[in-house]
Amino acid sequence: MSRRHRLLLSTALLAAALGAAPATAQAAPPPAAATAAAGTQPYASYWYPNTLLGWDPATDPDARFNRASVPLQPRTADPALRANANARAGEGRIASLVSFGPTSNNPSQGSTDPNYYAFQYWSYLDKLVFWGGSAGEGLILAPNPTVIDAAHRNGVKVYGTVFFPPAAYGGQLQWVRDFVQKSGSRYPVADKLVQAAQYYGFDGWFINQETGGGDTALAGEVRSLMQYTKAQSGTEFMWYDAMTESGAVSWQNALTGANDSFLQDGARRTADSMFLNFDWSASGLDSSRTLARGLGRGEYELYSGIDTEANGYNTGVDWATLFPAGRPHTTSLGLYRPEWTWKSATGRADYLAKDARYWIGANNDPSNTTTGSAWKGLATYVAESTPVTTKPFVTNFSAGEGDFWNAAGTRVATGGWNNLSLQDVPPTYHWLVDTTGSRLTPGVDFTDAYEGGSSLRLTGALDAVNTVRLYQTRLPVAADTRLSVVLKTPAAGATGLKAVISFTDAPTAFTTLDLGPTGGAGWERKTLDLSAYAGRTIAQIGLQASGTNPSYDLKIGQLAVYDGTVDAPAAPSGLTVLGASDVVAGTSQSLRLSWTPSPGGTVHHYELYRRNADGTRSFLGATPSDAYYVNRLDRAGTESSTTVEVQAVSTEYGRSAAATATVGWGGTPPADSNLALGRPATGSGQCNGNEGPAKAVNGTVNGGNSDKWCTLTSSKWLEVDLGSARSLSRFVVKHAQAGGESAQYNTRDFTVQVRNTTTDAWTTVATVTGNTAATTTHPVATTARYVRLVVTRPTQTTDPAARIYEFEAWGS
């Protein structure tokens, strides 16, 4: 297969693999009334041209859940603060075409799966294309709000995708004609593209027209549609180098006289940028730059594509042509499928290592990308940008995914999750550490957090001063400006830690601010008065460790710059249950909730809880939006109703009073059910990316060898949060043989433990040694919210992998 077809392979083949509808299908969504009455999972919107014409956000029950909440943030870059001496600011940029999931299966607001492409290197990115579309699902894919929110928070524009595949992959020329149909002087499909972008809050569309058979007239209509759109809105377009002005599909691998009018048509601007096909050459890029300038456009509006879907950073790239040493960049860079780093990973740690290798190089240091590999890391060429230009600035180092949720240092939920709407602005620099001695290792820590599911951790041998540059900023200091750091040490005592800041009048000269000792082993807040620097502007924020400690270990849960005191927002109101659906009849429901936002515009996100009979609360989820899908609310015993709450968290992380609503329960709950089914689960690790803890509570054992939780960690445990304290009668564990594997892999020795809160000690309720059975049952008489399986000898042999196909907790 020619490389010219790379942009269509993943979506077309995925549709075939999923058994998608035939290419002629244009299935309408379910009736709005039926869907709205239910509490079903909302998904990102996708259409064919004619079904888009029938879309109306007022009648689409999913539309409210697909609206982004974060506007595009301005950002800046100081060339003096670039990490890599070779990198350029203001020259070549980077666009990224990323598939976050199948076209028809992109959850609107995240999910309970912690295995997600939680991208961290926004400071190098200019545009993100939410890649998708297929003949069997839909040709037009709008980005989901989690990606829009995360990108916009970092000043990165987001585009949806319009994809017309070749006939060999189900493409139909009629779909292109449907796309450019006219009503008088109007292009109705274009009007809907604008409406979708404006309603959902994203910036434009990537147009990938690879269906052959067109003519000059059809090509002219495609250009006219884009020109019509740009004349009436700020909606942007990125054009893929495929269709030419003759109507034929012929990849030019350059800007040429055959495709230039799709970028600039005389005095009319057609597209805002062009993605050049992968087989570009030095002469082709040189002529592209010359032609772009001749059209009154810039060469950095051209994104020369590289295809990393198959080989990631092992892809061969002519870097010297694209980003020549000692000369201006030739064009910008277009990345196709950089999520290879995630898809090829065996787990989170492997993904993070691969993503770092892809973006900042083999040394995990953007200032030092020296390597024998041809792929030195993108930080070698493109300088960092920052959106940290306004106060308050608060980061909890949330990665947008995790294995639990903490609120103000208290664990309020266990179980995996992903939601990029809740990702904080990542550090500008991953990782810049200046020292004359041993280099401490900074990293995102997923074992603890102050807010959310992760924190920043500094570890290593401390034998000299280590200055960790974290954020490039442009934050003005007022008379009441404060800098706050929430940190945790293994024990009370000296931390050796200082906050460091520099100012725009001397951006590389740091001022140190001592954070002092800690009084214990819990989270502590250190607040520093910056009034002495009023009138100046902060250019960098970092941390500095000094002293001697062979095993330095410190966590930073929050870093904030704000004025005055931490303000609590006004409370939201009008919490309403829009719809509910049974997960397990009589015992659990999924919900669609909405509320009236807090007035004042100071909300970072809303947190949702259920109120328990004992007055405690169980976390249900969080979102910056005014609507949220709760994937599961469990009935406690035989209660006839459950109170749910929504609470606003401000941009300074003050918390409001809560608004409440009541969820009713019908019928009589079953006397006994598997309370662990579908509940949030976490584990000590996983053997592969598709063998996570959720597989042990998914209710099946017949999905093949990957339908299990597997781990090779030295300490092997699996924990499930039942949502509230439940009366338990028995545990059932289904081992390797229950899933079709050899009996020699059945778990030999293990214990089952329970507790009611995250601060309680675990109580062992079952101990098993010498087991050989495929399925084991363990009667108990206890009450607990958290249940835990601890494997001490995983197999009948010396094989070190624990294999658990199901862990069931039965009760009421």
Side-chain angles (χ1 to χ4, degrees):
M1 178 63 65
S2 168
R3 292 187 67 218
R4 63 187 184 182
H5 288 151
R6 289 291 190 188
L7 286 191
L8 60 93
L9 282 177
S10 59
T11 46
L13 295 179
L14 180 58
L18 294 175
T24 55
Q26 295 196 41
T35 307
T40 53
Q41 168 73 63
Y43 292 96
S45 296
Y46 55 96
W47 309 273
Y48 297 89
N50 283 339
T51 58
L52 176 58
L53 290 177
W55 175 74
D56 183 346
T59 57
D60 177 358
D62 286 0
R64 185 170 184 175
F65 296 85
N66 281 316
R67 301 193 79 176
S69 303
V70 180
L72 181 66
Q73 298 300 299
R75 62 181 186 173
T76 187
D78 184 345
L81 296 178
R82 68 190 190 278
N84 195 291
N86 184 69
R88 307 287 180 81
E91 293 187 16
R93 299 183 288 265
I94 301 176
S96 182
L97 278 59
V98 182
S99 174
F100 288 88
T103 296
S104 57
N105 190 28
N106 278 286
S108 299
Q109 298 174 309
S111 72
T112 57
D113 186 355
N115 180 27
Y116 197 70
Y117 182 57
F119 178 65
Q120 294 281 309
Y121 296 94
W122 297 103
S123 61
Y124 300 102
L125 199 58
D126 180 56
K127 295 179 176 66
L128 183 141
V129 176
F130 194 79
W131 180 250
S134 73
E137 298 169 285
L139 308 177
I140 303 169
L141 175 62
N144 65 23
T146 62
V147 172
I148 302 170
D149 285 339
H152 279 185
R153 188 172 283 123
N154 287 277
V156 174
K157 293 181 177 180
V158 181
Y159 292 173
T161 302
V162 179
F163 175 52
F164 298 105
Y169 295 94
Q172 301 178 31
L173 194 62
Q174 183 58 47
W175 283 334
V176 186
R177 295 191 178 107
D178 292 343
F179 184 66
V180 299
Q181 62 188 280
K182 296 189 75 171
S183 175
S185 61
R186 294 175 48 248
Y187 288 91
V189 174
D191 292 338
K192 284 295 183 179
L193 292 177
V194 172
Q195 183 185 18
Q198 292 179 345
Y199 181 83
Y200 288 146
F202 59 95
D203 306 286
W205 295 94
F206 183 94
I207 309 294
N208 181 17
Q209 201 307 84
E210 297 189 72
T211 306
D215 55 21
T216 302
L218 185 60
E221 289 294 346
V222 173
R223 292 197 303 277
S224 295
L225 178 145
M226 290 191 283
Q227 294 161 4
Y228 162 88
T229 304
K230 296 202 66 60
Q232 303 186 53
S233 74
T235 302
E236 297 185 2
F237 290 109
M238 178 180 282
W239 176 258
Y240 173 54
D241 159 33
M243 187 185 208
T244 60
E245 293 160 20
S246 70
V249 173
S250 177
W251 293 265
Q252 301 296 295
N253 304 296
L255 182 68
T256 72
N259 64 14
D260 61 352
S261 65
F262 287 100
L263 181 68
Q264 185 74 26
D265 190 6
R268 291 173 296 183
R269 188 179 180 93
T270 308
D272 297 270
S273 55
M274 183 181 289
F275 189 102
L276 304 181
N277 192 52
F278 308 114
D279 295 322
W280 42 266
S281 64
S283 60
L285 293 195
D286 282 343
S287 64
S288 297
R289 173 176 54 196
T290 300
L291 180 53
R293 291 176 177 177
L295 294 171
R297 303 293 291 272
E299 61 265 39
Y300 302 131
E301 295 170 88
L302 305 176
Y303 291 80
S304 298
I306 63 172
D307 178 2
T308 66
E309 180 181 20
N311 295 309
Y313 46 69
N314 298 308
T315 304
V317 179
D318 184 1
W319 296 110
T321 287
L322 186 61
F323 298 140
R327 290 185 286 130
H329 293 165
T330 310
T331 68
S332 291
L333 170 65
L335 301 175
Y336 182 62
R337 310 300 297 276
E339 80 277 11
W340 169 88
T341 58
W342 169 64
K343 286 185 175 294
S344 67
T346 58
R348 181 185 289 148
D350 189 36
Y351 157 60
L352 293 174
K354 285 183 171 178
D355 219 34
R357 175 73 180 83
Y358 190 104
W359 289 91
I360 60 170
N363 303 317
N364 203 30
D365 179 353
S367 69
N368 176 17
T369 54
T370 302
T371 175
S373 170
W375 189 290
K376 299 184 183 306
L378 302 181
T380 307
Y381 311 106
V382 177
E384 302 81 1
S385 296
T386 178
V388 185
T389 61
T390 58
K391 294 175 292 181
F393 165 63
V394 180
T395 176
N396 303 290
F397 304 96
S398 171
E401 64 175 7
D403 302 318
F404 56 84
W405 184 271
N406 281 8
T410 299
R411 186 147 304 179
V412 293
T414 58
W417 61 275
N418 72 78
N419 187 339
L420 292 185
S421 287
L422 305 172
Q423 184 188 71
D424 290 320
V425 174
T428 312
Y429 309 106
H430 290 75
W431 302 95
L432 281 186
V433 182
D434 297 327
T435 183
T436 58
S438 301
R439 185 178 187 265
L440 290 179
T441 301
V444 178
D445 177 52
F446 290 91
T447 67
D448 202 358
Y450 183 67
E451 298 276 1
S454 52
S455 56
L456 175 67
R457 190 173 187 178
L458 301 179
T459 58
L462 179 64
D463 53 22
V465 173
N466 272 246
T467 301
V468 183
R469 292 168 57 189
L470 293 174
Y471 289 94
Q472 187 181 147
T473 69
R474 191 160 293 176
L475 297 175
V477 180
D480 61 348
T481 299
R482 306 286 184 265
L483 189 153
S484 173
V485 180
V486 177
L487 52 82
K488 177 185 280 191
T489 52
T495 64
L497 193 69
K498 299 179 176 67
V500 295
I501 55 177
S502 70
F503 300 96
T504 53
D505 53 1
T508 61
F510 281 114
T511 296
T512 60
L513 305 163
D514 198 346
L515 294 172
T518 56
W523 290 111
E524 294 186 27
R525 182 180 298 276
K526 307 292 185 178
T527 303
L528 305 171
D529 182 356
L530 299 185
S531 60
Y533 310 102
R536 301 176 77 182
T537 299
I538 300 173
Q540 290 191 85
I541 302 174
L543 297 167
Q544 186 179 92
S546 59
T548 302
N549 187 334
S551 55
Y552 192 76
D553 189 352
L554 186 144
K555 298 173 185 175
I556 299 91
Q558 188 180 89
L559 177 65
V561 179
Y562 58 93
D563 292 339
T565 57
V566 173
D567 297 320
S573 60
L575 180 61
T576 302
V577 180
L578 299 176
S581 294
D582 283 339
V583 177
V584 178
T587 65
S588 58
Q589 302 178 64
S590 58
L591 307 173
R592 291 187 176 205
L593 303 174
S594 70
W595 54 91
T596 301
S598 304
T602 60
V603 174
H604 181 270
H605 68 269
Y606 297 92
E607 295 179 349
L608 294 107
Y609 295 86
R610 68 157 289 153
R611 180 64 67 173
N612 300 317
D614 61 2
T616 61
R617 299 191 304 173
S618 299
F619 181 76
L620 298 175
T623 178
S625 180
D626 61 0
Y628 188 69
Y629 167 73
V630 177
N631 74 307
R632 180 164 170 164
L633 175 73
D634 285 312
R635 186 177 192 174
T638 60
E639 64 181 359
S640 59
S641 64
T642 301
T643 298
V644 293
E645 302 179 348
V646 61
Q647 178 182 46
V649 180
S650 77
T651 51
E652 296 178 344
Y653 273 76
R655 284 179 161 82
S656 76
T660 64
T662 299
V663 178
W665 296 97
T668 302
D672 209 14
S673 63
N674 176 15
L675 303 175
L677 180 64
R679 290 300 306 170
T682 53
S684 55
Q686 57 195 71
C687 298
N688 293 296
N690 62 351
E691 295 178 340
K695 291 293 183 69
V697 292
N698 67 358
T700 67
V701 297
N702 56 5
N705 285 356
S706 65
D707 192 12
K708 66 174 180 284
W709 169 65
C710 176
T711 185
L712 287 162
T713 53
S714 56
S715 173
K716 299 174 174 64
W717 55 265
L718 174 72
E719 181 180 336
V720 183
D721 180 359
L722 303 181
S724 60
R726 309 299 293 271
S727 178
L728 300 173
S729 60
R730 70 186 186 277
F731 288 92
V732 176
V733 185
K734 297 182 179 180
H735 307 276
Q737 191 180 9
E741 296 191 64
S742 170
Q744 68 178 335
Y745 296 138
N746 287 338
T747 318
R748 181 177 175 87
D749 301 339
F750 58 94
T751 60
V752 178
Q753 302 175 335
V754 300
R755 65 181 179 182
N756 281 319
T757 72
T758 57
T759 57
D760 292 342
W762 289 101
T763 298
T764 298
V765 294
T767 300
V768 177
T769 58
N771 170 62
T772 60
T775 299
T776 56
T777 301
H778 315 281
V780 297
T782 190
T783 298
R785 171 175 174 176
Y786 302 98
V787 297
R788 181 179 173 104
L789 176 69
V790 179
V791 176
T792 51
R793 186 171 174 182
T795 63
Q796 310 298 307
T797 67
T798 57
D799 188 287
R803 300 166 175 86
I804 303 297
Y805 277 79
E806 282 297 301
F807 179 45
E808 300 173 353
W810 288 79
S812 59

